[in-house]
């Protein structure tokens, strides 16, 4: 029984690792993850995958610090920006995204996360 439990746990860990690794390989990192002051939210700019609505555009993803998987993050911006998009936390629940000359779908609602996302020109 102990062997079966260990095997199930090993398979679960392998599936989670594959899920996260495949997501990270499709969404190349565009900058460091930034944490919101006084909360457990993290935001990061990443490249959108080829199969997305805006292939190779910029995406800003938000997730909670736990669970530690970017594959569980929420896309709050997808756009083509002149240069690279950047993000900064104005407060614990307000993320400001900067994007020069954006094209595409700009903001996806993040109300279910309890945060506000605003778009500002200039990166």
């Amino acid at each position: 029984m102990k062997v079966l439990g260990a095997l199930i746990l090993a398979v679960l860990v392998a599936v989670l690792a594959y899920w996260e690794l495949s997501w990270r390989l499709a969404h190349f990192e565009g900058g460091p993850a930034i944490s919101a002051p006084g909360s457990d939210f993290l935001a990061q700019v990443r490249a959108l995958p080829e199969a997305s609505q805006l292939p190779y555009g910029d995406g800003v993803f938000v997730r909670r610090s736990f669970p530690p998987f970017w594959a569980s993050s929420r896309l709050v911006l997808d756009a083509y920006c002149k240069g690279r998009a950047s993000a900064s936390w104005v407060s614990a629940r307000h993320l400001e995204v900067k994007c020069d000359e954006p094209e595409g779908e700009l903001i996806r609602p993040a109300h279910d996360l309890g945060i506000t996302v605003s778009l500002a020109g200039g990166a």
Side-chain angles (χ1 to χ4, degrees), residues 29-87:
E29 202 171 304
I34 53 170
S35 59
S39 79
D40 66 339
F41 285 108
L42 296 171
Q44 189 171 42
V45 177
R46 289 184 169 265
L48 296 173
E50 182 179 0
S52 69
Q53 188 173 353
L54 295 173
Y56 308 114
D58 290 320
V60 177
F61 294 86
V62 174
R63 71 171 175 88
R64 294 206 179 256
S65 57
F66 190 82
F69 302 111
W70 279 104
S72 68
S73 64
R74 181 93 153 63
L75 180 66
V76 296
L77 173 133
D78 58 342
Y80 291 117
C81 299
K82 181 180 179 184
R84 170 73 62 198
S86 66

Side-chain angles (χ1 to χ4, degrees), residues 4-120:
L4 180 61
L7 181 62
I8 291 171
L9 182 61
V11 168
L12 179 63
V13 168
V15 167
L16 286 173
Y18 175 78
W19 178 54
E20 179 70 7
L21 182 62
S22 63
W23 189 90
R24 286 180 183 233
L25 289 174
H27 299 81
F28 295 105
E29 202 171 304
I34 53 170
S35 59
S39 79
D40 66 339
F41 285 108
L42 296 171
Q44 189 171 42
V45 177
R46 289 184 169 265
L48 296 173
E50 182 179 0
S52 69
Q53 188 173 353
L54 295 173
Y56 308 114
D58 290 320
V60 177
F61 294 86
V62 174
R63 71 171 175 88
R64 294 206 179 256
S65 57
F66 190 82
F69 302 111
W70 279 104
S72 68
S73 64
R74 181 93 153 63
L75 180 66
V76 296
L77 173 133
D78 58 342
Y80 291 117
C81 299
K82 181 180 179 184
R84 170 73 62 198
S86 66
S88 61
W89 290 98
V90 176
S91 68
R93 299 212 174 255
H94 182 192
L95 179 68
E96 183 178 74
V97 178
K98 293 182 180 166
C99 177
D100 279 342
E101 301 175 25
E103 294 178 28
E105 187 174 340
L106 299 179
I107 298 293
R108 294 202 172 167
H111 301 296
D112 61 327
L113 294 174
I115 64 171
T116 302
V117 180
S118 60
L119 182 65

